[in-house]
């Protein structure tokens, strides 16, 4: 493990907003924990040229707030705004991170069937072993209805040393 981050850590309030993502803390927390981890591994964006960094996002619940908004809107006969279609797919926030940091590797989103960390590291191991990536940014996030959103990110594999 080259770097590790959590959200929240001491002193954290609400994760900063992310353009294109509205109404939910899911994407802001994913971005905040990923950027914190990548800064600890590399300092500043982008990652060095030639390093293939995959993103593996693991969440059993996905973006619960957005899903509930869509459900309630449809149930009430309302129209769903186009941003909710975009942000309801976890790949969209993983792609946002990849674009912002110049990550050149696969993007994989998983809904774990067992232990989230074990499922995520198994996917990371496959990407590294198969040669699809030099390193993997593994992000684990869950939203619960009555608690703040928490996430962990780890940077696994070789990569280039800053």
């Amino acid at each position: 493990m080259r770097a590790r981050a959590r959200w929240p850590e001491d002193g954290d309030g609400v994760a900063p907003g992310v353009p294109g993502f509205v109404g939910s803390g899911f994407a802001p927390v994913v971005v905040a924990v990923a950027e914190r981890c990548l800064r600890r591994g590399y300092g500043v964006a982008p990652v060095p040229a030639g390093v293939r960094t995959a993103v593996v996002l693991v969440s059993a619940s996905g973006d619960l707030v957005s899903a509930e908004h869509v459900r309630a809107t449809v149930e009430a006969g309302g129209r769903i705004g186009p941003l909710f279609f975009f942000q309801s797919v976890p790949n969209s926030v993983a792609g946002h991170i990849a674009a912002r940091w110049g990550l050149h590797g696969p993007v994989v989103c998983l809904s774990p069937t067992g232990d989230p960390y074990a499922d995520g590291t198994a996917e990371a191991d496959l990407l590294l072993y198969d040669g699809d990536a030099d390193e993997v940014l593994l992000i684990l996030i869950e939203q619960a209805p009555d608690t703040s959103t928490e996430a962990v990110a780890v940077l696994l594999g070789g990569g280039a040393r800053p």
Side-chain angles (χ1 to χ4, degrees):
M1 178 178 347
R2 297 197 41 238
R4 178 184 173 91
R6 297 186 64 76
W7 188 274
E9 290 182 355
D10 289 341
D12 287 336
V14 175
V18 179
F21 295 89
V22 296
S24 173
F26 185 85
V29 168
V30 169
V31 170
V33 76
E35 289 193 344
R36 180 175 281 168
C37 185
L38 289 166
R39 279 193 307 271
R40 289 176 180 168
Y42 286 106
V44 296
V47 299
V51 177
R52 295 168 304 147
T53 306
V55 179
V56 175
L57 177 62
V58 180
S59 180
S61 61
D63 186 343
L64 286 177
V65 173
S66 292
E68 175 56 26
H69 168 77
V70 169
R71 186 201 62 75
T73 303
V74 169
E75 189 174 89
R79 268 188 86 186
I80 300 165
L83 284 180
F84 282 98
F85 288 108
F86 167 78
Q87 79 178 30
S88 66
V89 180
N91 286 25
S92 59
V93 72
H96 174 86
I97 295 161
R100 222 163 152 168
W101 277 81
L103 306 181
H104 299 285
V107 171
V108 179
C109 294
L110 300 175
S111 181
T113 57
D115 175 61
Y117 186 77
D119 285 2
T121 55
E123 182 66 28
D125 288 345
L126 282 173
L127 293 168
L128 295 168
Y129 179 78
D130 285 347
D132 294 324
D134 303 312
E135 64 184 13
V136 176
L137 175 63
L138 173 61
I139 305 162
L140 298 106
I141 181 170
E142 292 303 332
Q143 282 188 317
D146 299 326
T147 63
S148 64
T149 301
E150 297 181 356
V152 174
V154 292
L155 191 57
L156 305 169
R161 306 285 179 206

